[in-house]
Amino acid sequence: MPALVKSNMLIAQSGGPTVVINQSLVGATLEAKKHRQIRTILGARFGVKGILAEDFVNLGRESAATLAAVANTPSAALGSVRKKPSSEDCTKIFEVLRTYEVRYFFYIGGNDSAETAHIISTEAAKAGYELNCFHIPKTIDNDLRENDHCPGYGSAARFVALAIMGDNLDSRALPGVKIDVIMGRRAGFLTAAAALAQCYPDDGPHLIYCPERPFDMNRFLDDVKGVYEKLGRCLVAVSEGISDVNKTPIVSAFIKESDSFGNIQLSGTGALGDLLADQVRSKLNISRVRADTFGYLQRSFPTVVSAVDAREARAVGAVAVRTALKQGGSGSIVIRRKPGRGYAVRFECVPLELVARATREMPESFLNAEGNGVTKAFLDYVRPLVGPLPKMARLRGVPLR
Amino acid sequence: MPALVKSNMLIAQSGGPTVVINQSLVGATLEAKKHRQIRTILGARFGVKGILAEDFVNLGRESAATLAAVANTPSAALGSVRKKPSSEDCTKIFEVLRTYEVRYFFYIGGNDSAETAHIISTEAAKAGYELNCFHIPKTIDNDLRENDHCPGYGSAARFVALAIMGDNLDSRALPGVKIDVIMGRRAGFLTAAAALAQCYPDDGPHLIYCPERPFDMNRFLDDVKGVYEKLGRCLVAVSEGISDVNKTPIVSAFIKESDSFGNIQLSGTGALGDLLADQVRSKLNISRVRADTFGYLQRSFPTVVSAVDAREARAVGAVAVRTALKQGGSGSIVIRRKPGRGYAVRFECVPLELVARATREMPESFLNAEGNGVTKAFLDYVRPLVGPLPKMARLRGVPLR
């Protein structure tokens, strides 16, 4: 039901930041400024927490220069939150929205944020509060259903590809076993992007482990041994979320007693990398074994941005506002890839419940049969999202006559 | 003693790679090609190991295009090594050099590599083998004596500054305590560069700990508590090499029994970050605490290069060859900063023993009295080495009237 009278809109950011999440914020803000149906553009600080606390800023009063600069700045400019609103929260939220005359609500985030939007939309209908409620996609994990890919992924994948390129050269200069732990709790898209680093046939990553396939420590050790014996080194890319056949994360399966890590968290700790390195060192008797956990740099590193990703992140914000004004109601903006030779996408709007909560995993066709690498189908899928990568050069290595 | 007859030169790379170490290799190669005194330009693969194994390539036969591309590729294109030659190694080395008619030897690396050059130079004199022997500086640690700064440092410092910029924004969006562990065993220059990330007064890093000052766990916890109570978050940059008053690395002082980490190494493990995070979590009762260890990305990440650093790395290679041909003998090329307002440097050659082995630490004037931050003097020192950094923007945050 398109709102015919002027009303205010509210936008907020939620979940883990990305380097392009502000593109979506700015895309939505600039689009809203074009439409007379929108009077004031409120930004809530720290997601739903800011709505509950009436912690708002007036985005319509930001200068074009500030918006342009913020769009190019990583992480959520409004602040973020991980909070699922309760029924009482919703009651309070609608009170606040009523006070501020908000009839359009946009929430930028991943599947948890889509769920929040879905809850708010459903509860608003129950409460008889007329609210147009839209989810704007964002996640470096690339795990939103209904989407070909998600804003934030291309840039994070670019970071991973560059990092692995550099680390491959490092390991080539000082050979050994190197293990790089990459974000991704249930979906391996980001870890799989490490494969883009390969310029020469013997370049790493030599092994890639994603959460979609059960991780077996002995098979992993065999794999590493095989590569090491062949090349004299081995570079491994592994998802933080790798789990055994019982879906127990490896990091928690192996680190049990005398656990000094508090709650087992997957990011922001080097535990998994150290565990795998320790296994390689002790079981394979290889002396030079190192592990790095890429951590939060993957989602926040300035200057490493995929141009396609930035453009699409901007677009989904604008599309959300146009869709809300045109058709009203609720929904999640999704990215679909157009069939054909060149890379092109179209944006659609799907019901919130199709995107909320659930995660999308990598399709079978993207992972090799051995479960330790990716396929050409994945590389074809990911390349246009990441953009052109620099070439890493080698000496020709001309022998002495 | 300038060699008047034609002879061959040998160049090799050693120690931890940097993103500009190949600039020095290419700088030396291109310079050598200009001089008729040099006949063949041999590159040894994997440092002195390659000399012993006669594993050589003919650098003079690489195309200009390959050399240009290699110069812009991170990590040691010839391969690297960490090996101190014994007397027997030296005897074998001189046999090989004699066979290949090498009278000019260039070794690119840090203080260990300068020591290798010094050993080879001294042993050559003892053995009566006429050899001109030069060290070309390289280290992200910036800890070579006699140098204002070292090639490789500016680019690594740039990586650290950008990473902390992004991480500061991440921590601003999802507040908590964040600890970032940065390379540097005995010198804190690289960790200190985190200070460049600060754009606004409340930006992180809020605390910086370098190995030059003894690290006290209780004072650290007090510092974190103070910042957290004031700002609701705290971003810490800490050197991997921080040690207690007895010079025992913190990572080994605290991780004793049931140690699953094998040899205590400082890089390539998340142990120190996890340890500090655990202390903050348990002692200060703060729930959201994360640690990242930047690891090998700091020294190998493609595209994050300081233009000044790349230029100077190229220059020291060329200067080494010119110096060797002009004055002969032995020495280490050093960078001195010219006094005056603008940034300018001059290159000199000093005796190898002044640079070999020993490390340079940060001067007192670069660290604050509390031992948890840097001074303006340090920022003035480091800025020209890193080059212009992007501005991180904030919303003005206009209140709703």
Side-chain angles (χ1 to χ4, degrees):
Chain A
M1 57 209 133
L4 298 172
V5 293
K6 278 195 180 187
S7 61
N8 297 331
M9 85 168 232
L10 174 60
I11 187 165
Q13 296 170 307
S14 169
T18 79
V19 296
V20 297
I21 187 172
N22 292 328
Q23 292 283 3
S24 300
L25 179 71
V26 169
T29 302
L30 291 177
E31 183 65 31
K33 287 178 95 161
K34 292 185 201 159
H35 297 272
R36 294 176 54 203
Q37 287 152 277
I38 303 288
R39 208 168 40 203
T40 306
I41 308 164
L42 286 77
R45 300 187 66 224
F46 302 101
V48 290
K49 214 170 73 177
I51 308 178
L52 292 164
E54 299 179 49
D55 186 1
F56 298 130
V57 297
N58 190 336
L59 290 172
R61 300 286 299 279
E62 298 287 342
S63 70
T66 298
L67 289 174
V70 165
N72 287 310
T73 297
S75 190
L78 285 172
S80 190
V81 75
R82 294 187 188 280
K83 181 178 168 63
K84 184 172 164 178
S86 64
S87 292
E88 300 86 75
D89 288 337
C90 287
T91 307
K92 167 74 180 162
I93 284 169
F94 303 137
E95 268 173 42
V96 173
L97 296 186
R98 196 182 301 275
T99 306
Y100 288 85
E101 296 172 42
V102 171
R103 296 291 171 181
Y104 293 96
F105 174 57
F106 300 93
Y107 213 38
I108 309 170
N111 55 337
D112 289 338
S113 311
E115 192 184 359
T116 296
H118 186 228
I119 291 170
I120 289 177
S121 174
T122 312
E123 293 287 322
K126 276 194 216 162
Y129 183 75
E130 190 195 323
L131 184 68
N132 302 288
C133 191
F134 287 80
H135 168 242
I136 299 170
K138 169 275 349 164
T139 168
I140 65 163
D141 293 333
N142 204 35
D143 61 355
L144 293 182
R145 295 219 173 150
E146 298 286 327
N147 285 272
D148 176 75
H149 60 277
C150 308
Y153 171 64
S155 297
R158 187 173 181 81
F159 181 91
V160 167
L162 287 169
I164 296 281
M165 272 184 181
D167 208 32
N168 169 65
L169 292 165
D170 197 298
S171 120
R172 201 166 165 257
L174 287 171
V177 174
K178 180 70 197 298
I179 297 157
D180 287 327
V181 180
I182 296 166
M183 277 185 171
R185 199 166 276 261
R186 292 179 56 189
F189 291 102
L190 194 55
T191 304
L196 290 170
Q198 204 171 36
C199 299
Y200 294 83
D202 62 337
D203 275 344
H206 307 104
L207 298 166
I208 299 175
Y209 300 95
C210 294
E212 284 81 356
R213 297 288 176 82
F215 183 86
D216 180 89
M217 191 63 81
N218 292 326
R219 217 169 48 215
F220 161 73
L221 291 170
D222 281 349
D223 286 350
V224 171
K225 188 162 177 259
V227 174
Y228 189 81
E229 283 174 356
K230 192 173 150 204
L231 299 177
R233 67 186 184 104
C234 182
L235 178 59
V236 182
V238 59
S239 284
E240 59 182 10
I242 49 162
S243 304
D244 63 19
V245 281
N246 304 316
K247 306 261 178 199
T248 308
I250 296 300
V251 70
S252 58
F254 272 75
I255 298 177
K256 277 174 188 155
E257 68 274 358
S258 75
D259 165 9
S260 68
F261 299 95
N263 292 320
I264 295 290
Q265 89 230 5
L266 299 183
S267 295
T269 164
L272 178 62
D274 287 348
L275 163 73
L276 296 175
D278 187 44
Q279 289 281 314
V280 171
R281 208 178 281 120
S282 60
K283 302 276 171 64
L284 299 185
N285 206 15
I286 295 172
S287 62
R288 190 167 196 278
V289 186
R290 301 285 187 271
D292 273 331
T293 304
F294 289 178
Y296 293 96
L297 273 55
Q298 295 163 92
R299 69 185 196 192
S300 62
F301 198 89
T303 74
V304 177
V305 178
S306 151
V308 166
D309 190 31
R311 197 166 63 229
E312 292 179 350
R314 176 78 73 116
V316 290
V319 168
V321 170
R322 281 203 295 273
T323 307
L325 291 174
K326 197 169 159 201
Q327 73 185 48
S330 68
S332 178
I333 306 307
V334 298
I335 302 181
R336 298 267 161 81
R337 196 182 300 214
K338 289 184 183 168
R341 286 204 329 184
Y343 174 78
V345 298
R346 63 172 191 274
F347 304 100
E348 294 182 6
C349 183
V350 304
L352 284 167
E353 58 266 36
L354 294 185
V355 178
R357 199 171 330 134
T359 58
R360 178 179 67 129
E361 298 179 356
M362 297 238 285
E364 274 293 313
S365 61
F366 284 3
L367 294 165
N368 71 2
E370 299 78 18
N372 61 13
V374 301
T375 59
K376 184 177 174 296
F378 172 73
L379 290 170
D380 291 343
Y381 162 83
V382 76
R383 267 204 191 92
L385 311 181
V386 168
L389 290 163
K391 287 261 188 319
M392 301 291 102
R394 289 186 181 185
L395 293 168
R396 274 174 64 221
V398 185
L400 292 174
R401 98 210 84 207
Chain B
M1 58 208 132
L4 297 173
V5 292
K6 278 195 182 187
S7 61
N8 296 332
M9 83 169 232
L10 173 61
I11 187 165
Q13 297 171 306
S14 168
T18 80
V19 295
V20 296
I21 189 172
N22 292 330
Q23 291 283 2
S24 300
L25 179 70
V26 170
T29 302
L30 291 176
E31 182 65 31
K33 287 178 94 161
K34 293 184 202 161
H35 297 272
R36 294 176 55 202
Q37 288 152 277
I38 304 288
R39 207 169 40 203
T40 306
I41 307 164
L42 285 78
R45 299 188 67 224
F46 302 102
V48 289
K49 215 170 74 177
I51 307 177
L52 292 165
E54 299 179 47
D55 186 0
F56 298 129
V57 296
N58 189 338
L59 291 172
R61 300 285 301 277
E62 298 287 341
S63 71
T66 298
L67 290 174
V70 165
N72 287 310
T73 297
S75 192
L78 285 173
S80 190
V81 75
R82 294 187 188 280
K83 181 178 169 61
K84 184 173 163 176
S86 64
S87 291
E88 300 85 76
D89 289 337
C90 287
T91 306
K92 167 76 181 161
I93 285 169
F94 303 136
E95 267 174 43
V96 174
L97 296 186
R98 195 182 301 274
T99 305
Y100 288 84
E101 296 172 42
V102 171
R103 296 290 171 181
Y104 293 96
F105 174 57
F106 300 93
Y107 212 39
I108 309 172
N111 53 340
D112 288 338
S113 311
E115 193 183 358
T116 296
H118 185 227
I119 290 170
I120 290 177
S121 173
T122 311
E123 294 286 323
K126 276 195 219 163
Y129 183 74
E130 190 196 324
L131 184 67
N132 303 288
C133 190
F134 287 81
H135 168 243
I136 298 171
K138 168 280 343 168
T139 168
I140 65 162
D141 292 333
N142 203 35
D143 61 356
L144 293 183
R145 295 220 173 148
E146 298 286 326
N147 285 272
D148 176 76
H149 60 276
C150 309
Y153 171 64
S155 298
R158 187 174 182 81
F159 181 90
V160 167
L162 287 169
I164 295 281
M165 273 185 179
D167 208 32
N168 169 65
L169 292 165
D170 197 298
S171 121
R172 200 166 165 258
L174 288 171
V177 173
K178 180 70 198 297
I179 296 158
D180 287 328
V181 180
I182 296 165
M183 277 185 172
R185 201 166 274 259
R186 292 179 55 189
F189 290 102
L190 193 56
T191 304
L196 290 171
Q198 203 171 37
C199 300
Y200 294 84
D202 62 337
D203 274 344
H206 306 105
L207 299 166
I208 299 175
Y209 300 94
C210 294
E212 283 81 357
R213 297 288 176 82
F215 184 87
D216 180 272
M217 190 63 81
N218 291 326
R219 217 170 48 214
F220 162 72
L221 291 169
D222 281 349
D223 286 352
V224 171
K225 189 164 176 257
V227 173
Y228 189 80
E229 283 175 355
K230 192 173 150 205
L231 300 177
R233 68 186 183 103
C234 182
L235 178 58
V236 182
V238 59
S239 283
E240 60 182 9
I242 49 163
S243 304
D244 64 18
V245 281
N246 305 315
K247 308 261 178 199
T248 308
I250 296 300
V251 70
S252 58
F254 272 73
I255 298 177
K256 277 172 188 157
E257 68 274 358
S258 73
D259 166 9
S260 68
F261 299 94
N263 293 320
I264 294 290
Q265 88 228 10
L266 300 181
S267 294
T269 164
L272 178 62
D274 287 349
L275 163 73
L276 295 176
D278 187 44
Q279 289 281 313
V280 170
R281 207 179 281 117
S282 60
K283 301 276 169 63
L284 299 184
N285 207 13
I286 295 171
S287 61
R288 190 168 195 278
V289 185
R290 301 285 187 272
D292 273 332
T293 303
F294 288 178
Y296 293 96
L297 274 54
Q298 295 163 90
R299 69 184 196 192
S300 61
F301 198 89
T303 75
V304 176
V305 179
S306 151
V308 166
D309 189 30
R311 199 166 60 229
E312 292 178 350
R314 176 78 73 118
V316 290
V319 167
V321 170
R322 280 201 297 273
T323 307
L325 291 175
K326 198 171 157 199
Q327 73 185 48
S330 69
S332 178
I333 306 305
V334 298
I335 303 181
R336 298 267 160 83
R337 196 181 300 214
K338 289 183 184 168
R341 285 205 330 186
Y343 173 79
V345 297
R346 64 170 191 275
F347 304 100
E348 294 182 6
C349 183
V350 303
L352 284 167
E353 57 267 37
L354 295 185
V355 178
R357 198 169 333 129
T359 58
R360 178 178 67 130
E361 297 181 355
M362 298 237 285
E364 274 293 314
S365 61
F366 284 2
L367 294 165
N368 72 2
E370 299 78 17
N372 61 14
V374 301
T375 59
K376 184 178 173 298
F378 172 72
L379 290 169
D380 292 342
Y381 162 83
V382 76
R383 267 205 191 91
L385 311 181
V386 168
L389 290 162
K391 285 262 187 320
M392 300 292 102
R394 289 186 181 186
L395 294 167
R396 273 175 62 221
V398 186
L400 292 172
R401 104 211 72 214

